[in-house]
Amino acid sequence: MATISIDPQLCSHCGICTQICPLGIILPGGEDDMPFMPDPMDEVCVKCGNCEAFCPEGAISPLFSTKHSIVSDPLSDNMDPEQLGAYMRARRSIRNYKDEVVDKGTIEEILDIVRYSPSGINMQPVNWLIVHEPDEVRKISALTIDWMRDIIDSDMEHPMKPMMSSLVSAYDMGADPICRGAPHLAIAYGAGNLAYTDCVIALSWFELSAPSFGLGACWGGFLKVAASSYQPLIDELGLPEGNSVQHTMMFGYPEYKVHNIPGRNPVKITWK
Ligand SMILES: Cc1cc2nc3c(=O)[nH]c(=O)nc-3n(C[C@H](O)[C@H](O)[C@H](O)COP(=O)(O)O)c2cc1C
């Protein structure tokens, strides 16, 4: 069966679908002058749905069922760059959390936004392990500290080694320098090297979406590195065979409010 189906009653032959297809496999001039995708190309289509998204007549039937539709054009009608810029600039890494659990429905709502993030050739390789049990998050912090203790006690060189002693001391004094006492973790995982970039993009979307739900998040860099190499932690996470942790984020309700936006280096641009 053809991947795309175009309604001849609705198609205005504007040719936009032939121009926006990322692989150029929708061709003009098919039967009755309709755009068409030659049969062998069905296999190549990445099912990004851009033909469907950009068709002004709604002539291309959906590739997947979706509950989302554009009522007005959010890119030109609603979205004020000032407002969006203020929202994005106000995002901060959150390292202090309320002792309050986020309900699973809210997390699913965020992930429903995040699944629209871009991925190479629309492979959508991102899988999620959501650690919802706060006690399990504490266990994961403890295992990450065990990993650090092993490295400190060994002759092993590690770029993070100089930081480890103070993190372990802080942990021994009752702090959680790994997951910062967050109630939950979002762990993006997948198979193969190609999954990495897409998982990082998806987590960036997660972090950016979080404040609109009243939540805050922070990347878990130490955890990510430990989860990629320390077998007891790998075993604890128990990902399906062939998959590995690509990156991690802690999240929950922030204890403190952001009042100011700190400065950053000037942008470095080369124009050609
Ligand atoms: C890949 C990556 C890993 C990070 N790992 C940690 C971490 O393990 N612990 C932590 O407290 N912050 C971590 N951070 C947060 C950075 O420290 C933070 O983004 C940076 O200081 C800028 O602050 P801001 O996010 O509030 O703008 C990480 C950030 C990134 C992008």
Side-chain angles (χ1 to χ4, degrees), residues 3 10 49 53-54 66 70 78 140 144 164 214 223 226-227 235 238 272:
T3 303
L10 296 176
F54 285 87
T66 174
I70 292 180
N78 299 335
I140 288 168
T144 307
M164 287 181 180
L223 172 57
D235 293 344
K272 260 187 180 276

Side-chain angles (χ1 to χ4, degrees), residues 1-222:
M1 204 179 75
T3 303
I4 64 161
S5 147
I6 305 177
D7 185 336
Q9 307 294 323
L10 296 176
C11 177
S12 65
H13 308 271
C14 66
I16 293 176
C17 56
T18 65
Q19 292 168 43
I20 55 94
C21 174
L23 297 173
I25 55 176
I26 304 177
L27 306 179
E31 203 176 312
D32 296 328
D33 203 26
M34 291 282 292
F36 73 108
M37 187 184 290
D39 277 346
M41 294 301 161
D42 281 10
E43 300 283 312
V44 182
C45 173
V46 298
K47 300 181 178 54
C48 65
N50 273 16
C51 50
E52 179 191 325
F54 285 87
C55 176
E57 321 300 344
I60 300 181
S61 55
L63 286 163
F64 301 100
S65 65
T66 174
K67 58 181 191 236
H68 302 290
S69 60
I70 292 180
V71 182
S72 58
D73 177 356
L75 298 183
S76 55
D77 296 348
N78 299 335
M79 197 55 79
D80 171 353
E82 287 275 328
Q83 236 185 327
L84 179 65
Y87 177 81
M88 291 178 76
R89 289 188 186 102
R91 176 218 58 83
R92 294 274 71 77
S93 293
I94 299 302
R95 299 188 177 85
N96 303 83
Y97 295 91
K98 288 187 175 150
D99 192 11
E100 198 179 320
V101 163
V102 181
D103 71 75
K104 290 183 178 172
T106 302
I107 300 168
E108 283 169 354
E109 271 188 71
I110 297 178
L111 294 177
D112 189 57
I113 296 172
V114 171
R115 75 192 168 98
Y116 286 81
S117 63
S119 64
I121 50 174
N122 198 33
M123 292 278 278
Q124 302 170 69
V126 185
N127 298 275
W128 296 101
L129 173 65
I130 301 296
V131 183
H132 196 254
E133 281 297 321
D135 286 348
E136 181 61 22
V137 180
R138 303 288 74 81
K139 193 168 179 183
I140 288 168
S141 292
L143 283 165
T144 307
I145 291 289
D146 289 348
W147 166 74
M148 292 186 176
R149 290 189 209 278
D150 277 8
I151 292 177
I152 293 167
D153 293 344
S154 75
D155 300 333
M156 199 207 287
E157 293 291 324
H158 194 286
M160 290 177 170
K161 199 167 182 172
M163 286 168 255
M164 287 181 180
S165 296
S166 58
L167 292 170
V168 170
S169 302
Y171 183 82
D172 289 341
M173 285 162 65
D176 175 2
I178 305 304
C179 298
R180 308 289 311 196
H184 313 299
L185 292 174
I187 298 179
Y189 73 90
N193 295 337
L194 286 180
Y196 176 74
T197 308
D198 300 332
C199 285
V200 169
I201 293 169
L203 277 165
S204 292
W205 277 45
F206 187 97
E207 188 190 23
L208 213 45
S209 307
S212 71
F213 290 85
L215 298 174
C218 182
W219 291 87
F222 297 116

